[in-house]
Amino acid sequence: MKVIDQALLEKVIIERSRTSHKGDYGRLLLLGGTYPYGGAIIMAALAAVKSGAGLVTVGTDRENILALHSHLPEAMAFSLQDQQLLKEQLERAEVVLLGPGLRDDTFGEELVKQVFASSRQNQILIVDGGALTILARISLSFPSSQLILTPHQKEWEKLSGITIEKQNEGTTASALTSFPQGTILVEKGPATRIWQAGQSDCYQLQVGGPYQATGGMGDTLAGMIAGFAGQFKQASLYDRVVAATHLHSAIAQELAQEHYVVLPTEISSHLPKIMKKISQKGS
C-alpha cells in the first residue's frame, strides 16, 4: 500500500507561470445531468472550475443550462441533443468527463457509445456515475484514450463482477488485468483505493469519513479529477488523480471538525484556498 504524502501533493499542485493563459490549464468537456439529475453535472462543473481548469464546457439537458449558469457563469454550456455541437466539442476536448447525472436510458446509452467511438489517443476520458452503469450493461470496446474509472462499490460490482463483500486488494488487482494497461481506477468506498492497471500496488486514502455520505460527493470528486487531469502536466496522470482524490477527502475532513455533514459544494468552495497553500509550500 502506497502512502499519499505532502511531497506528492507539492509535486502535482505547483505555482502557475506568470506567462501562462487559460489554454494552458485544460480544455474540459463534461457530459451529463439529464433529467432528473441536473444537479450532478453542475456540482462536477463547479469542482472542475474551482480546481483551476482553464476552459470548461458542459453538455447537458437544455432545461438545465439556466440553472448551471446561475451557479457558474464561468462555464460554457450546450444542449446534449445538439449533435453538431457535441461532435465539435468532443473533437476539441483534452479531457472528457462522462456520466455525472447521466440517466441510464436509450439516450444515455447512445451518448456513451458515441463518446467511446470518438475518443482519441491523446485524450483523457473519465467515466463516472450513470456512464459506469451503462458501461457495465453493454458490450463496448475500450477507447484509445487514457481511461479513468471512478466507481463506488455497487458500480464496481457491476463492472467487475465482484460482490461488495468480496471487494479487496486481491480481487480488484485481478479484475484490473482485463482493462487496458494504464487504466486508472478510483475505487470509492470507506477506504478509497486508487489503482493503475499494470501496477501491483495502490494508494489508499487515510482521510475522509461518514460526513461525506451525501448526494453529489462523487460528482464533485469527478470534477476535481477532471480539473487536475487537464492541468499539472509536469506530473503523471496517476499522480494527478491521486492528488485530487486525496484532497477531496482531506478538505472534507477539515470541514468536519466544525460540521456534522459536509456538502460537496463546500469542498469546491474551499479548494482554491487549500491549493494555494500547497503550491506555496512546494515553491
Side-chain angles (χ1 to χ4, degrees), residues 44-58:
L46 274 166
V49 170
K50 292 282 190 177
S51 69
L55 292 160
V56 176
T57 300
V58 177

Side-chain angles (χ1 to χ4, degrees), residues 2-250:
K2 294 189 278 190
V3 176
I4 304 168
D5 56 16
Q6 187 68 23
L8 187 149
L9 299 179
E10 291 173 6
K11 181 171 70 171
V12 174
I13 304 167
I14 60 172
E15 288 195 324
R16 294 185 161 192
S17 166
R18 290 181 61 85
T19 59
S20 61
H21 56 84
K22 61 188 177 185
D24 295 323
Y25 299 108
R27 187 180 292 273
L28 276 56
L29 176 61
L30 281 55
L31 303 173
T34 50
Y35 183 82
Y37 308 117
I41 201 70
I42 294 174
M43 287 185 281
L46 274 166
V49 170
K50 292 282 190 177
S51 69
L55 292 160
V56 176
T57 300
V58 177
T60 187
D61 277 349
R62 184 179 296 277
E63 294 79 7
N64 199 35
I65 293 175
L66 182 60
L68 168 69
H69 280 157
S70 71
H71 287 279
L72 191 67
E74 293 87 352
M76 296 166 282
F78 68 96
S79 169
L80 272 177
Q81 284 73 24
D82 189 326
Q83 273 294 309
Q84 184 59 39
L85 273 176
L86 177 58
K87 289 176 182 177
E88 290 174 4
Q89 292 299 329
L90 283 169
E91 289 173 3
R92 293 175 184 171
E94 298 169 346
V95 179
V96 177
L97 168 55
L98 172 66
L102 182 65
R103 188 172 178 174
D104 182 5
D105 58 12
T106 301
F107 180 82
E109 182 176 320
E110 290 305 312
L111 179 63
V112 171
K113 289 177 179 177
Q114 183 175 357
V115 172
F116 270 57
S118 68
S119 68
R120 307 186 309 275
Q121 193 166 1
N122 62 344
Q123 199 173 55
I124 297 167
L125 175 59
I126 305 162
V127 186
D128 179 68
L132 288 166
T133 301
I134 293 169
L135 181 61
R137 182 172 53 76
I138 64 176
S139 179
L140 277 180
S141 299
F142 287 112
S144 58
S145 56
Q146 300 170 82
L147 186 62
I148 302 169
L149 306 173
T150 59
H152 57 55
Q153 289 174 297
K154 193 64 181 177
E155 289 164 342
W156 182 232
E157 179 180 90
K158 293 175 183 176
L159 273 173
S160 66
I162 306 167
T163 58
I164 293 175
E165 59 272 15
K166 293 184 178 179
Q167 290 174 13
N168 55 48
E169 289 180 58
T171 57
T172 294
S174 177
L176 269 176
T177 59
S178 64
F179 290 84
Q181 186 86 356
T183 296
I184 296 170
L185 171 70
V186 180
E187 187 187 4
K188 298 182 293 193
T192 294
R193 292 185 287 256
I194 309 113
W195 299 82
Q196 186 165 37
Q199 295 190 12
S200 58
D201 207 356
C202 68
Y203 286 98
Q204 182 170 306
L205 295 191
Q206 305 299 315
V207 289
Y211 38 80
Q212 292 174 267
T214 185
M217 197 60 68
D219 306 310
T220 294
L221 173 57
M224 285 179 61
I225 290 172
F228 277 50
Q231 53 185 319
F232 305 132
K233 295 169 186 174
Q234 81 290 344
S236 71
L237 181 58
Y238 186 37
D239 283 349
R240 285 175 256 170
V241 174
V242 170
T245 306
H246 170 85
L247 207 55
H248 174 264
S249 288

